[in-house]
Amino acid sequence: MTLRFGTVFTPTTSTYRMLVEACRKIETETNNAVAIDIRPSGEYGKPTELMKLVDSGDIEIAYTVQGYSPTRFVASSVIELPLIRRTAVGGTKALWDLYESGVLSHDYEGLKVVGLWALPTYGIFTASRPMESPRDLRGLRIRNPSKTVGRALAKLGVIPVALPLNSMAAGIQSNLIDGVSYGWYSSTTTGGADGKPLMNQLTHLLDINFSGPVVMLAMKRATFDALPDPVKAAFDKHLGKPVSLAIAEERDQIEEDMKRKLAEDGQHKVKRFTPTQMTEIRDELEEVYADWATGLNEQGLDGRKLLDAARKALAAYEKP
């Protein structure tokens, strides 16, 4: 039996290498009862299509960003709310707590969660406009990574601009946008203008831990249940929660290393708001949290209860 595994990574990324290693362990430990044909970005389909390919049976396993299916993983988006967390590890541990408790079951009906983790939180980066205080955010045209984040940016006076990921560099170059809300490391690996990284177009970097995506490895539940028991056990052992936490830990470390490097390179200016300023921003965003909870209530879910549960879980892993 061959399981086709689509990802969004290039072969040179550390996450791809970790996933390949896990797949080979599963094959070896089960005496090759299954072969896992894991492939990099584009070989099975576009990143935004991989979840649909699992649904249709064209592939068996997908790495997907949950934001690509915004109406499907609504409860899990609690970990994507702005300023709710600081780290990938904290977000990932809280996610697994919520998932294992059953409060996220609405999102995963008919699916087997093969992996689930939060990416590091984003900063806000501009090409030329400094951000010395929350007031300086007003009027900034920032590429909007998701509907929820866009709502929060707008609440702070930012003008969210919907742009595909591959149009960020052109947007900055043409002065369509002032900057982006994006990952630190990702900004150094995503292509920018003139064949250079996107980060080369950015100068002012606000370290605000604003928001970050939730990603997952997903299979159809029926496909997973049909596997031999030793194979299912190997999946849970070598993927599942263990590899999710390992990837989150590595991503946090890479992100912190890149923040230090950028702060010291003489080309970028890294800024952090004071605790008082951050309290001011959080107060502004309470309406965004309330709107998010109301949206879940309209879908038959208790949004406030889920938000409180997420905050409680995060508090156990991210100390003030």
Side-chain angles (χ1 to χ4, degrees):
M1 182 184 296
T2 297
L3 303 177
R4 296 158 294 184
F5 187 170
T7 78
V8 302
F9 303 106
T10 62
T12 57
T13 59
S14 59
T15 300
Y16 186 79
R17 291 194 297 268
M18 292 175 73
L19 293 176
V20 169
E21 181 181 359
C23 291
R24 300 295 85 89
K25 287 179 178 178
I26 291 170
E27 292 170 338
T28 300
E29 190 167 299
T30 60
N31 295 317
N32 296 312
V34 292
I36 304 175
D37 187 4
I38 181 171
R39 297 192 185 183
S41 180
E43 292 204 15
Y44 281 127
K46 297 177 182 178
T48 54
E49 298 173 339
L50 294 177
M51 195 65 237
K52 293 179 181 178
L53 293 175
V54 166
D55 292 335
S56 66
D58 290 299
I59 63 175
E60 284 69 44
I61 313 171
Y63 170 102
T64 186
V65 179
Q66 291 192 345
Y68 294 159
S69 307
T71 62
R72 187 167 187 170
F73 302 105
V74 292
S76 302
S77 69
V78 67
I79 300 298
E80 298 180 338
L81 288 171
L83 303 183
I84 197 170
R85 63 181 174 91
R86 296 192 305 275
T87 65
V89 168
T92 299
K93 289 181 175 180
L95 260 176
W96 277 95
D97 282 359
L98 296 172
Y99 172 69
E100 291 174 338
S101 73
V103 298
L104 302 180
S105 58
H106 168 275
D107 289 3
Y108 304 106
E109 185 175 354
L111 294 178
K112 163 64 179 179
V113 174
V114 183
L116 183 66
W117 64 93
L119 294 180
T121 48
Y122 288 173
I124 298 176
F125 311 142
T126 65
S128 60
R129 290 181 58 176
M131 297 165 283
E132 297 298 325
S133 73
R135 179 178 291 273
D136 293 327
L137 298 175
R138 298 175 187 174
L140 284 178
R141 297 162 299 163
I142 299 295
R143 186 259 177 179
N144 172 28
S146 73
K147 180 179 178 181
T148 301
V149 173
R151 175 80 173 85
L153 290 171
K155 185 64 179 174
L156 300 178
V158 171
I159 302 170
V161 180
L163 276 180
L165 197 68
N166 59 4
S167 297
M168 292 191 296
I172 295 171
Q173 190 174 40
S174 65
N175 200 36
L176 175 65
I177 56 175
D178 297 301
V180 298
S181 178
Y182 201 41
W184 295 77
Y185 176 74
S186 295
S187 295
T188 69
T189 58
T190 297
D194 302 322
K196 297 178 181 179
L198 179 67
M199 186 56 79
N200 281 41
Q201 296 175 254
L202 302 165
T203 302
H204 300 280
L205 314 179
L206 181 61
D207 186 1
I208 193 173
N209 293 320
F210 199 67
S211 180
V214 171
V215 299
M216 67 181 298
L217 309 179
M219 294 178 70
K220 278 186 178 180
R221 168 57 69 176
T223 301
F224 181 80
D225 288 347
L227 296 172
D229 287 342
V231 176
K232 289 189 282 190
F235 262 89
D236 290 336
K237 177 181 178 182
H238 295 296
L239 287 170
K241 192 173 183 178
V243 80
S244 299
L245 290 171
I247 290 173
E249 289 171 0
E250 183 185 56
R251 288 301 304 269
D252 272 340
Q253 187 60 57
I254 290 173
E255 208 79 347
E256 288 305 312
D257 290 345
M258 184 54 64
K259 285 182 187 181
R260 286 193 293 271
K261 182 177 179 180
L262 292 168
E264 296 169 358
D265 68 4
Q267 302 174 31
H268 297 91
K269 300 176 181 178
V270 176
K271 172 68 179 180
R272 295 178 181 85
F273 288 155
T274 67
T276 299
Q277 289 171 326
M278 289 305 300
T279 297
E280 175 186 336
I281 288 176
R282 286 189 175 88
D283 289 344
E284 286 287 330
L285 295 183
E286 280 301 320
E287 184 178 331
V288 174
Y289 303 140
D291 286 349
W292 177 89
T294 298
L296 260 69
N297 294 343
E298 293 171 352
Q299 299 183 55
L301 303 172
D302 191 332
R304 177 53 63 178
K305 182 178 180 180
L306 178 54
L307 179 58
D308 290 344
R311 283 173 163 161
K312 182 178 180 180
L314 285 162
Y317 303 118
E318 296 188 341
K319 304 301 181 185

